[in-house]
Amino acid sequence: MAEREAIGRAIAEERKRQNLTQSRLALMAEINEGYLCEIEKGIANATINKLLAIAKALGIALADLLEGA
């Protein structure tokens, strides 16, 4: 559970750093906004494909999201 929360926190922090809304990032990553919200809160178990899509939309490496997990 701590890993999910750490990954979600990393996504939210990077999204905010880039001044993106959850809605905009979800659109860029081609995922549901509600699902992104659950990922950021550490509730949802994101698949590797979804994490890759989010990282790509943020313009960062997947390893950057997983670093603190």
Side-chain angles (χ1 to χ4, degrees):
M1 184 159 191
E3 292 84 8
R4 277 196 322 244
E5 291 171 355
I7 292 167
R9 199 168 28 256
I11 292 169
E13 287 173 2
E14 182 62 23
R15 175 181 60 76
K16 291 173 186 174
R17 191 186 72 72
Q18 294 187 27
N19 295 315
L20 295 171
T21 63
Q22 283 183 336
S23 179
R24 180 69 181 144
L25 178 56
L27 183 66
M28 293 166 61
E30 299 180 351
I31 63 173
N32 179 280
E33 183 179 350
Y35 184 54
L36 175 61
C37 180
E38 290 180 354
I39 292 170
E40 286 189 356
K41 290 180 180 178
I43 298 168
N45 282 321
T47 65
I48 192 73
N49 288 336
K50 297 300 182 192
L51 292 176
L52 283 167
I54 293 167
K56 183 177 179 182
L58 290 170
I60 61 174
L62 178 58
D64 295 336
L65 293 179
L66 303 178
E67 223 171 57

